Every structure is written in C-alpha cells, then in structure tokens.
Amino acid sequence: MDSGADTAGEALDEMPQEKRRRFDAERDSSPSSPWAGLQADALGVVLRFLPCLADRARVRSVCRNWRAASRGRGVAPPLPVLVMPRFRFAGMTPGGVLTATARHAWMPSEVDADHADCVGSSDAWLVGARQAGGECFLVNAFSHVVLHLPRLGDSDHSHWACSLRKVALSGSPETGPKCIVAAFAFCRSKPELALWRPGMKAWRVWQHSLIAGHIDMAFYQGRLYMLWRFSPSLFVFEIAEDGHGVKFSRMKDCLLEKLLPTPLGSNHVLSCNMVEWRGRLLLIIRYYGGYQVRHRVLKVEVFAMDFSTKPISLTEIHSFGGDCIFVGSGGCKSFPAGQYRGVEGDLIYFVPDHYNPHDAFVYNMRDGKTRLIVEPLPRRICAPVQSLGFPVWLFPPE
C-alpha cells in the first residue's frame, strides 16, 4: 500500500489561498532552480505515474511553473477520494485500494462539518445538508466556495424533519443558471423530488406515488432519469421553464423491467444504479442471495440503454475500455483509469448506501471476481451510522 496516499486528506487540510501565498513568497525570494524550467509536456508524462491526489499536491507545491503545468490541458485528473461522514477523506493507492485511515479536511466554518451530512457530489463539489431544518448547500472541496440552496420543505414548518437523500447536478455550479439541481428528500415523511437552479428563490416540488423510498437519479441529454433501486423501473422527467425558473413538466415510464432477462430466482433481490459512460447511460444491477444475506453478491450485470428506439433497448456490456466506474449514495461516475500506468481498469467500486449498508467491494468486469475495497476494512466504511451519512465519491479536477 502506498503510504503517500495516507495523506490524501492532508492536501485539503489548509486553505489553498494561504498556502499558495506562502509558497510563492518563498520561491520569489530564493534563487531560481533548474527544475522550475521543466517543460510542461515532460511534467505531464511524470504525472501519469502519480495518480494520487496527495502526490499531485506535492508536485503543485514545488513552484509556480509546476503548479501551472500540473493544471494544463491534457493532464489527466487524479484518482477519486472517498468522503467519509463528517467530511473526512480517504485516498486511493495506484493499485486501486482505499487507505484504511481517513483524515479530516479543512472546510469553511459555515459548513460546520461536524454537524452536517455529505449527501452527494459532482466533480469537485460536495452537497451538504443539516437535516433538522432542511438546510442544504454546495461546497467546492478545493476552492472552498460555498453556495447556499433554499431550504427544503415548507419554510413555515421548518421544525418538521426534512431528510435529503439524493442529489443530482446537470453540470458544474460554476456555470450559473445552466446548472440544475435535482433533489430527492423525505419531507414530513413523504418522498418528493425537487428542482432548483441559481436565481430561484425556492425549490419546485413534484410529488407522485411512483417516487419510491430508494431511488437513483441522473441527468442525461437534458432530461432527469429516476431509477428504482430495488426494482429495475425507470422513469424520465421532462424539464420546462417558466417565470419562476425550472419545473417538472411530464413524467414517463420507460417500461425497463419488461426488457431485462429473468432474475436469478424468486428469493433473490436486486440493487440498481445508473451512470453515464462515454456518452451512454448505463444500468448496473447487483444480484443478492436474499434480504437476509444482502451483503453476499451473486452477480453483477451492466447494460447500455438506448433511448433512440421505442421501446428503449438494452445491450449488455462486459468492458469499460479500461475505464472504472465508482458507485455510491452520492452518485456514480466513470473515471479514465487507462490514462495511468499501473492503474487497473474495467473495475466497479461499490461503497455503502441506504439500500446496501454493508457493500464495500470492487467488481472486476473481466473475470467477474470481487475483492474488498480496502484491507483491513475500517468500521467507518463497512458499517456506517445512518445518522452520520454514507461515503461519497469525490473527483478532484486537478
């Protein structure tokens, strides 16, 4: 195991603006180093052998030139990190193993990390919530910019519990009104979907009997897709605009369950997720031995969904072309593992969520085998306390 990866959280312990000013002052007052003149292309080759976030942070701290070169075009992003409850970060080694220790990352005081849940992510942005009053926010884990979202639920009844379970973003919050936020929450014990984008004063809520207790969500080609986690039922929402912002305009059942092969048996249960990969929306299904042994995975299947046909069509796939897929309660995302030397591809990383509180394993698409995501398995990962939230994948941009 790479000891350097143990410091993944260390790279986030201090405000980057303060650290940058200190380093720049030191470098400007010292004789120039021949290493500062290293060509950006050469440094890019070196970075292909340094996929871990902590190692990238050390490279950027050398001098201004290295920092600029490490953020240049063509430089692949570092490996994802796992955000644990109370905003603690666990890094990954080049061998695709999570470190057994997690470090506390510096967060702005307004985030109040010890009393907030991390419920989702989108690239470098984390979604936080303080469940008691429906308060929620977006925070960039690296620039530490905080964007406050409207409170969930009826503001006149804020004492009623409103639990935010799932969030999906259509793009980066830095794009302003082009970014749409979809939220799945339980307000007054009722499940509901809500939409918001910058400039709106309140969420636009949609309540329907088909909004189940455990769902996955993903934006794809301008629409929002909602997938039942315990049954492969898929619904698509059309999104429209009016004078108050964005809203749900129509909901349609994709009849996905009729297209899938027969389950393994009547006693088996499913767990379903969605992820966009190379412009295609994938359906990932885990088969378990039953409700009492849900931690025992029997099989994993992956299908590419084609929405250009009526009805939609499914194509089973057995390779990601060297990429990896990361699945968690905060969302799913693909990662170009093949851009690095020594990093294995065609893997799916699963971490616990509300529906599978004990799942923490890696599935190999090539041979169908599984292994633990980290050894020894920390209790923080394998048996999280629901009141503290579940692990969320974070994807550093540089």
Side-chain angles (χ1 to χ4, degrees):
M1 185 176 292
D2 182 4
S3 60
D6 284 328
T7 59
E10 210 170 87
L12 306 170
D13 280 345
E14 187 178 8
M15 292 173 60
Q17 295 86 352
E18 294 180 3
K19 179 180 285 188
R20 184 178 303 120
R21 285 194 292 268
R22 187 173 68 250
F23 274 113
D24 287 345
E26 292 174 357
R27 299 301 297 183
D28 291 343
S29 62
S30 62
S32 60
S33 167
W35 287 105
L38 185 65
Q39 295 296 318
D41 291 344
L43 186 59
V45 172
V46 173
L47 292 175
R48 290 174 66 90
F49 294 87
L50 299 174
C52 299
L53 177 63
D55 293 333
R56 293 291 186 89
R58 296 186 183 100
V59 170
R60 292 197 301 270
S61 69
V62 172
C63 63
R64 287 182 176 179
N65 291 343
W66 282 33
R67 183 166 67 244
S70 67
R71 293 172 173 171
R73 294 181 179 179
V75 178
L79 293 172
V81 297
L82 194 63
V83 183
M84 311 297 289
R86 296 196 173 107
F87 293 86
R88 297 178 66 87
F89 287 67
M92 292 188 67
T93 69
V97 178
L98 276 173
T99 57
T101 58
R103 295 178 60 88
H104 195 281
W106 189 93
M107 285 288 163
S109 58
E110 58 187 306
V111 169
D112 192 14
D114 288 335
H115 300 91
D117 296 340
C118 181
V119 298
S121 71
S122 177
D123 296 329
W125 291 82
L126 295 172
V127 183
R130 278 178 280 276
Q131 307 289 13
E135 182 181 355
C136 48
F137 57 87
L138 302 172
V139 56
N140 189 299
F142 304 94
S143 68
H144 301 121
V145 172
V146 179
L147 300 177
H148 292 279
L149 307 180
R151 288 180 179 270
L152 288 162
D154 188 343
S155 59
D156 295 333
H157 302 86
S158 59
H159 60 280
W160 281 329
C162 193
S163 176
L164 181 62
R165 294 291 186 87
K166 183 80 176 179
V167 174
L169 277 68
S170 66
S172 171
E174 296 168 350
T175 61
K178 293 182 180 180
C179 173
I180 300 176
V181 182
F184 168 61
F186 276 86
C187 292
R188 298 177 291 279
S189 301
K190 295 181 180 180
E192 62 183 36
L193 290 180
L195 288 179
W196 177 86
R197 73 176 181 190
M200 292 175 57
K201 297 181 179 180
W203 294 89
R204 303 292 294 274
V205 176
W206 177 286
Q207 293 180 334
H208 196 283
S209 59
L210 291 176
I211 300 177
H214 298 280
I215 67 169
D216 195 10
M217 296 190 303
F219 280 99
Y220 181 67
Q221 296 182 345
R223 298 178 176 88
L224 179 68
Y225 288 85
M226 180 186 76
L227 175 71
W228 284 1
R229 295 291 313 279
F230 51 83
S231 173
S233 295
L234 180 67
F235 305 90
V236 59
F237 292 87
E238 300 285 348
I239 298 175
E241 297 188 31
D242 60 16
H244 300 285
V246 291
K247 64 176 183 178
F248 296 106
S249 65
R250 190 165 66 97
M251 174 182 175
K252 178 182 176 182
D253 189 344
C254 296
L255 304 176
L256 177 65
E257 64 277 10
K258 297 182 179 181
L259 305 176
L260 290 168
T262 305
L264 296 180
S266 58
N267 294 327
H268 300 115
V269 294
L270 311 179
S271 177
C272 306
N273 290 96
M274 292 180 294
V275 62
E276 185 173 355
W277 169 73
R278 299 188 181 184
R280 308 169 75 182
L281 191 61
L282 303 184
L283 170 68
I284 301 175
I285 303 178
R286 282 169 276 176
Y287 295 88
Y288 295 86
Y291 286 101
Q292 301 303 319
V293 288
R294 192 181 296 169
H295 59 279
R296 185 167 64 91
V297 178
L298 301 179
K299 185 179 181 182
V300 177
E301 292 182 334
V302 181
F303 300 90
M305 297 183 284
D306 186 353
F307 298 98
S308 65
T309 63
K310 294 184 180 181
I312 68 172
S313 58
L314 301 177
T315 302
E316 187 170 4
I317 64 175
H318 303 279
S319 170
F320 299 132
D323 294 345
C324 289
I325 301 293
F326 292 83
V327 178
S329 64
C332 308
K333 187 177 175 70
S334 62
F335 182 83
Q339 296 186 23
Y340 294 104
R341 298 289 182 89
V343 179
E344 187 177 2
D346 293 311
L347 302 176
I348 307 178
Y349 290 82
F350 294 98
V351 292
D353 56 28
H354 290 87
Y355 187 59
N356 308 283
H358 301 286
D359 269 5
F361 69 95
V362 181
Y363 177 81
N364 193 314
M365 290 285 288
R366 298 170 183 171
D367 57 20
K369 295 182 179 180
T370 63
R371 64 169 171 82
L372 293 178
I373 201 168
V374 60
E375 295 186 46
L377 201 62
R379 185 173 182 180
R380 286 181 180 270
I381 294 179
C382 64
V385 179
Q386 293 199 27
S387 61
L388 298 179
F390 290 88
V392 171
W393 291 110
L394 175 68
F395 296 85
E398 54 192 25

